[in-house]
Amino acid sequence: AASAPAAAAVAAPASVASPAAAAADFAAPSDGGGAASEPRAVSASELKAHGGCGEGEPCWVGLYGRVYDFASFLDEHPAGPTSISDLGGADGTVAFEHIHNEAMLSEFDDVLIGRLEA
């Protein structure tokens, strides 16, 4: 009987310790839209509806066919919040690539909403 609780105590940390499982959970869209390998589809009208970028509002921006919510990053952006909020609710790829590169978006996987429908 004493071995059963010990097995349970060992099993719990093993499931938490799996880097692959933790990464998959972390990268999945916050709205439960699906697994990280299959991001949910976001329509242009849904992107536009979430592009207000006001205080306490989402700030969805389309970049390279993906949609991100940059609301939590607005005040941290080195060039200021306006350069992001001006792109809210739209595909900002052209403006983004004038200054940044696509690879830097890997830093924002935690705010990835899904993929922009064509």
Side-chain angles (χ1 to χ4, degrees):
S3 63
V10 171
S15 65
V16 173
S18 168
D25 289 343
F26 184 71
S30 61
D31 66 346
S37 61
E38 295 182 31
R40 75 176 188 86
V42 177
S43 68
S45 61
E46 185 180 14
L47 171 61
K48 185 175 182 177
H50 290 90
C53 302
E55 185 69 31
E57 293 181 329
C59 188
W60 290 15
V61 177
L63 296 170
Y64 301 97
R66 296 179 298 275
V67 176
Y68 298 86
D69 184 353
F70 290 120
S72 62
F73 181 68
L74 289 174
D75 291 331
E76 298 174 32
H77 189 248
T82 305
S83 57
I84 297 175
S85 62
D86 284 351
L87 303 175
D91 186 332
T93 303
V94 172
F96 180 87
E97 65 188 3
H98 282 297
I99 309 231
H100 306 295
N101 63 59
E102 184 176 4
M104 73 181 302
L105 288 172
S106 65
E107 298 175 29
F108 296 95
D109 285 347
D110 60 326
V111 297
L112 177 65
I113 301 299
R115 62 177 170 72
L116 186 58
E117 291 180 330

